[in-house]
Amino acid sequence: MSARLTGFDGTDLEATGMAEAYRAVAAEQLGPKRYARLLRALPEEPADAGDPELRKAAEAVTYLWYTDSWPGPPPFLVSPRAYTEALAWKAAGLKAPATAPGGYGSWAEEPDRPADRYPAAGAEGSES
């Protein structure tokens, strides 16, 4: 279900280490009946099909994966570790702020980039 909602492969989702925690949060916050209905409905229908209650549940689970917080009410962060595993960072190809090696201020430095993807200015084949 989560792979279909997020667009990430199930292996990538498991690699975050948050799958079981998110499963527990979703089941608790949605309640057993709505959670079971969501699990049954998604393999067959898109999340926006027909039932507004299931659409809202699908949106909440997607929000959970991308932000590592439950949208509420009241909204809450699942765990401090969850912040670093948010799919929003992975989708953008970034590390969560204040979690990457380099220390304070490292975000102000230009990142290392593979030369084949980003040739240096003035290098052969680059345009000014």
Side-chain angles (χ1 to χ4, degrees):
M1 169 189 70
S2 292
R4 180 154 184 193
L5 289 173
T6 65
F8 277 80
D9 183 90
T11 305
D12 292 332
L13 298 178
E14 288 291 334
T16 67
M18 299 305 300
E20 288 302 317
Y22 291 166
R23 200 171 284 129
V25 168
E28 179 182 334
Q29 295 299 313
L30 296 174
K33 288 182 182 179
R34 191 166 34 155
Y35 184 69
R37 284 182 55 219
L38 181 63
L39 290 175
R40 281 192 312 270
L42 274 179
E44 300 163 7
E45 301 177 25
D48 62 351
D51 187 336
E53 182 181 351
L54 287 183
R55 179 180 171 84
K56 188 174 180 178
E59 288 171 351
V61 172
T62 305
Y63 185 91
L64 174 64
W65 276 104
Y66 273 87
T67 68
D68 296 301
S69 58
W70 187 257
F76 63 89
L77 185 64
V78 173
S79 76
R81 178 170 176 249
Y83 168 76
T84 64
E85 297 301 330
L87 293 183
W89 308 121
K90 292 171 181 25
L94 302 170
K95 297 278 186 192
T99 63
Y104 180 80
S106 62
W107 57 86
E109 299 169 11
E110 186 171 336
D112 293 333
R113 297 179 181 196
D116 58 335
R117 284 185 61 197
Y118 304 99
E124 184 179 336
S126 67
E127 297 180 23
S128 299

